[in-house]
Amino acid sequence: MLLCSSLATAQEADELGGSGAELSVIARAEYLSGDDPLGNSSLYTLLEGNISDNLSYSVCNHWLSSEPGALYANTLRSDDVNWLDWAYLTYSFGSVELSLGKDMLVWGTYEMDEYDFDVHIPMATSIWNAVPVYQWGVRASWLPLEGLSLDFRLASSPYSEHPFGEGMLSYGIRARYEKEDAFGGMVSYNILGMGHGHYRKVLSAGAQAYVGDARIVADFNNKVGDCDFIMLDGFTTTLMGIVPFAEDKFDLLAKAGYEQISSGNLEDVSGILGLHWRPVEMLRVHVLGGYRWGDIAPGPVINAGLTCNLSFGL
């Protein structure tokens, strides 16, 4: 199966204002110890903009990966990632937003908030690696207070081979509150159709807090990712710290994770340390190292590479 990755929630295109647009070209090259030495090496484009004051769009294409052939072979599939990560329109009026197209299921962890090209595989959970969370559907959001959003989404199911195949649907609800540079939290519940009247029910939650410039993030899922079955019963939990220094040219990263698969009582414990360096605004260099203990994927992990992000106003 192709690198079973998911992308993070897109930044809202209406931040551009008016009828402007922005195109970003993002290239990532890296080395990852283990069976897939190219790791998260990839090429993306991200196009976001406004058609009017109320109507915005966002399109992200995943042109290359460590297995580029699979991206195109999976073009019409919904149970794996392909060359179109997301493409949706959002109409806003007052405190309500309606979105139509291919977008992320309303997940409740901060891990899923990150763009795929910013995620380091050694720090990613099995959920991030295994669940194709970008699906075709419709989302309704209500923003009753500043920083608070309530999201509802009806979409195709990641258990369906093709979008809406065999009537398989997913239903999701999420509540989220963010106070900028202070704290935030969210919780979601998704019901994913598996066919023949069976459903996978997923509770996920996340919390973050800022202590000075440092950011601390905790995430939880009541399932474990699996590239053969998408998800298994169990749970994943992570704790991550990010400390910028030297005028934000560097970030020190640390992440600890614990996962347990109920069947067989299998466990995985991980500890990863990393460093980001931004010699110029468009370039980020990363170096990570750590170790995994337990029954699932034990052993040392080394990851190093760079990400280049070029943006153009249109």
Side-chain angles (χ1 to χ4, degrees):
M1 195 174 192
L2 174 67
L3 169 64
C4 309
S5 62
S6 64
L7 290 173
T9 304
Q11 296 173 348
E12 291 300 328
D14 57 10
E15 292 177 359
L16 297 172
S19 57
E22 183 173 275
L23 174 66
S24 298
V25 180
I26 306 101
R28 175 170 175 144
E30 68 175 11
Y31 166 77
L32 175 65
S33 59
D35 296 332
D36 186 6
L38 292 178
N40 198 17
S41 298
S42 50
L43 176 66
Y44 288 86
T45 56
L46 173 62
L47 176 64
E48 295 182 304
N50 285 340
I51 298 172
S52 68
D53 289 341
N54 301 98
L55 187 62
S56 62
Y57 61 89
S58 183
V59 181
C60 184
N61 293 102
H62 188 176
W63 301 112
L64 291 174
S65 71
S66 60
E67 297 181 56
L71 288 175
Y72 300 94
N74 290 334
T75 294
L76 298 178
R77 299 186 71 96
S78 56
D79 57 355
D80 208 337
V81 295
N82 57 48
W83 57 271
L84 179 62
D85 284 328
W86 68 76
Y88 59 87
L89 291 169
T90 300
Y91 184 75
S92 306
F93 53 100
S95 60
V96 175
E97 291 183 352
L98 297 176
S99 180
L100 177 67
K102 189 178 185 183
D103 194 2
M104 183 181 175
L105 301 177
V106 286
W107 219 258
T109 60
Y110 285 94
E111 176 182 53
M112 294 299 193
D113 252 4
E114 301 295 329
Y115 286 116
D116 182 46
F117 43 77
D118 283 334
V119 171
H120 305 305
I121 290 178
M123 289 185 163
T125 66
S126 60
I127 291 286
W128 184 90
N129 274 290
V131 181
V133 295
Y134 278 82
Q135 299 292 330
W136 292 94
V138 60
R139 172 179 58 85
S141 298
W142 180 40
L143 298 79
L145 300 170
E146 183 177 358
L148 176 64
S149 65
L150 302 175
D151 305 304
F152 310 88
R153 191 150 200 267
L154 171 65
S156 55
S157 170
Y159 283 93
S160 173
E161 183 176 348
H162 302 293
F164 307 106
E166 300 179 2
M168 281 188 259
L169 299 173
S170 64
Y171 313 86
I173 182 172
R174 177 178 62 195
R176 178 171 184 169
Y177 180 78
E178 297 292 338
K179 185 172 178 61
E180 188 174 359
D181 296 331
F183 60 86
M186 56 179 150
V187 60
S188 74
Y189 191 70
N190 282 275
I191 300 174
L192 311 177
M194 301 173 67
H196 306 292
H198 297 285
Y199 297 90
R200 184 75 76 188
K201 299 174 182 179
V202 188
L203 174 69
S204 56
Q208 68 172 355
Y210 287 85
V211 181
D213 292 331
R215 178 174 173 240
I216 301 171
V217 182
D219 282 332
F220 170 84
N221 297 280
N222 74 336
K223 291 291 184 286
V224 177
D226 182 87
C227 281
D228 291 324
F229 302 100
I230 300 183
M231 277 179 284
L232 299 172
D233 288 335
F235 70 89
T236 69
T237 182
T238 61
L239 180 65
M240 184 174 185
I242 306 166
V243 182
F245 62 96
E247 299 181 344
D248 294 336
K249 286 188 175 293
F250 293 88
D251 296 323
L252 180 64
L253 315 173
K255 190 168 189 177
Y258 177 76
E259 304 194 8
Q260 184 180 87
I261 299 176
S262 298
S263 176
N265 198 32
L266 302 176
E267 297 179 310
D268 180 77
V269 181
S270 62
I272 307 291
L273 291 175
L275 184 70
H276 288 164
W277 172 42
R278 299 179 185 83
V280 293
E281 184 177 357
M282 68 177 186
L283 185 65
R284 186 191 72 183
V285 179
H286 65 271
V287 179
L288 296 93
Y291 201 89
R292 304 183 77 97
W293 298 265
D295 309 298
I296 301 174
V301 181
I302 298 172
N303 180 215
L306 54 85
T307 304
C308 181
N309 190 330
L310 298 175
S311 296
F312 309 91
L314 302 177

